[in-house]
Amino acid sequence: MIVFDLKCAHDHVFEAWFGSSAAFEDQRARGLVACPLCGDTVVAKAVMAPNLAAKGNSKPAAVPVTQRATPDTPIPPDVLKAALQSLAKAQLKALETSQWVGGAFADRARAMHAGEEDHAPIHGQSTIAEAKALVEDGVPIAPLLIPIVPPEALN
């Protein structure tokens, strides 16, 4: 297997795995490789950082067998819970400096991108269609990984 960083015509960069370079070229030529953000099938290899091998006279750090996992290994519930709590805490900290704009998110983000409004960190709600349109127009957005309760819905 080989991994490539790919880039669509809209400058979205993403990663994809292929059986070989020839497999990538074949799938790309048949239009089977598409950008996961916009669906564009005009895709090319992006510039990648080289994967440099470790120094020949050094040993890799030993990883205890108990920490190795395979894709079929289930994640213990306590580990998953701790990871989600850590992620939620990090998101909450990031949102402390962000303003809730509710359903006006798409309009505000577009206005900031167009220079009609000062740039500021915001978060809010949008429809999938609004989010796709923002991405297609090059507006930098990202979904919140942990759902939040809108401030007006809090008791």
Side-chain angles (χ1 to χ4, degrees), residues 61-74:
V63 177
V65 174
T66 57
Q67 290 184 357
R68 291 188 183 140
T70 66
D72 296 331
T73 304

Side-chain angles (χ1 to χ4, degrees), residues 45-71:
K45 291 180 187 174
V47 177
M48 294 175 57
N51 184 7
L52 301 176
K55 190 174 172 183
N57 64 354
S58 64
K59 291 183 179 179
V63 177
V65 174
T66 57
Q67 290 184 357
R68 291 188 183 140
T70 66

